[in-house]
């Protein structure tokens, strides 16, 4: 049996010439995508602000004189991180600030991070209202301090930095969105 094998040969020069002939369409598509993204980013998307407060985990009564104390501080960070996001803490914040959100909705706006090799917790809140993001972050720190102290039967953690009202939104990232849309438009039209 005689089988014929067909080889598909891709000539890069041929593809380049086809793309070169269609460059105006490719650029126009990219510009249209970028313009659509700009309209969305500047006029339709709600700006989201982020405000952050910081807690120091070890208290004045804890001494940092040994490796064991430092390791204890690192593992406490994980415990504190979970306690800050617990239902009682978040619901107390909702009640204290009289927010129109439930536990899950507010929890979705909260990020608690422990930067590597530190005993500091960053409590960040994202909201469409800069003032409310700041209030929630500060209230969350205060409620969490008391709750942590009660549960772990220790002194309250110290507030390293209170949250400040942000000047500019963190979302949408307008320039990034426009650039991605431009590239996406160019790639799709070239395809």
């Amino acid at each position: 049996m005689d089988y014929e094998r067909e080889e598909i040969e891709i000539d890069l020069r041929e593809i380049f010439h086809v793309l070169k002939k269609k460059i105006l369409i490719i650029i126009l598509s990219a510009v249209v995508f970028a313009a659509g993204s700009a309209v969305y980013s500047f006029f339709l998307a709600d700006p989201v602000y982020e405000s952050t407060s910081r807690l120091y985990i070890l208290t004045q009564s804890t001494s940092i004189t040994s490796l064991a104390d430092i390791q204890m501080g690192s593992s406490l960070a994980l415990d504190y991180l979970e306690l800050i996001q617990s239902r009682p803490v978040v619901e107390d914040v909702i009640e204290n600030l009289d927010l129109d959100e439930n536990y899950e909705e507010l929890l979705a706006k909260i990020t608690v991070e422990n930067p590597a090799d530190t005993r500091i917790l960053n409590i960040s809140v994202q909201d469409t209202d800069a003032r409310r993001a700041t209030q929630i972050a500060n209230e969350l720190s205060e409620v969490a301090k008391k709750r942590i102290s009660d549960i772990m039967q220790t002194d309250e953690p110290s507030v390293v930095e209170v949250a400040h009202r942000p000047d500019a939104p963190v979302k949408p990232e307008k320039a990034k969105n426009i650039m991605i849309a431009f590239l996406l438009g160019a790639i799709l039209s070239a395809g």
Side-chain angles (χ1 to χ4, degrees), residues 4 19 40 86 112 147 159 172:
E4 291 183 27
L19 290 176
Y40 173 77
S86 68
V112 183
R147 181 83 175 157
V159 175

Side-chain angles (χ1 to χ4, degrees), residues 11-41:
D11 186 2
L12 292 179
R13 278 182 264 151
E14 190 177 317
I15 292 173
F16 176 74
H17 288 299
V18 170
L19 290 176
K20 188 176 174 184
K21 288 178 186 176
K22 306 289 183 183
I23 192 72
L24 288 177
I25 293 171
I26 294 171
I27 291 173
L28 182 63
S29 296
V31 169
V32 167
F33 271 68
S37 177
V39 167
Y40 173 77
S41 296

Side-chain angles (χ1 to χ4, degrees), residues 52-58 80 84 112-115 118-123 137-138 140-146 148 156-162:
T52 302
S53 63
R54 292 178 172 81
L55 290 180
Y56 183 63
I57 293 167
L58 296 179
Y80 285 18
I84 290 169
V112 183
E113 297 175 332
N114 175 225
T118 70
R119 286 162 302 283
I120 293 175
L121 291 177
N122 296 330
I123 303 171
N138 285 329
L140 197 54
S141 285
E142 290 303 316
V143 171
K145 279 180 15 178
K146 291 178 179 79
I148 288 167
E156 290 183 0
S158 304
V159 175
V160 174
E161 183 179 323
V162 296

Side-chain angles (χ1 to χ4, degrees), residues 99-173:
L99 300 174
D100 293 331
E101 296 164 305
N102 62 33
Y103 167 74
E104 288 81 14
E105 292 169 338
L106 185 56
L107 188 61
K109 296 179 176 185
I110 298 169
T111 306
V112 183
E113 297 175 332
N114 175 225
D117 301 324
T118 70
R119 286 162 302 283
I120 293 175
L121 291 177
N122 296 330
I123 303 171
S124 301
V125 176
Q126 290 188 353
D127 197 277
T128 54
D129 181 346
R131 184 183 58 78
R132 188 170 52 211
T134 304
Q135 287 177 329
I136 294 171
N138 285 329
E139 186 65 23
L140 197 54
S141 285
E142 290 303 316
V143 171
K145 279 180 15 178
K146 291 178 179 79
R147 181 83 175 157
I148 288 167
S149 174
D150 292 344
I151 297 263
M152 302 191 86
Q153 298 178 352
T154 63
D155 294 337
E156 290 183 0
S158 304
V159 175
V160 174
E161 183 179 323
V162 296
H164 294 284
R165 186 175 179 168
D167 297 327
V170 293
K171 293 179 187 173
E173 297 178 64

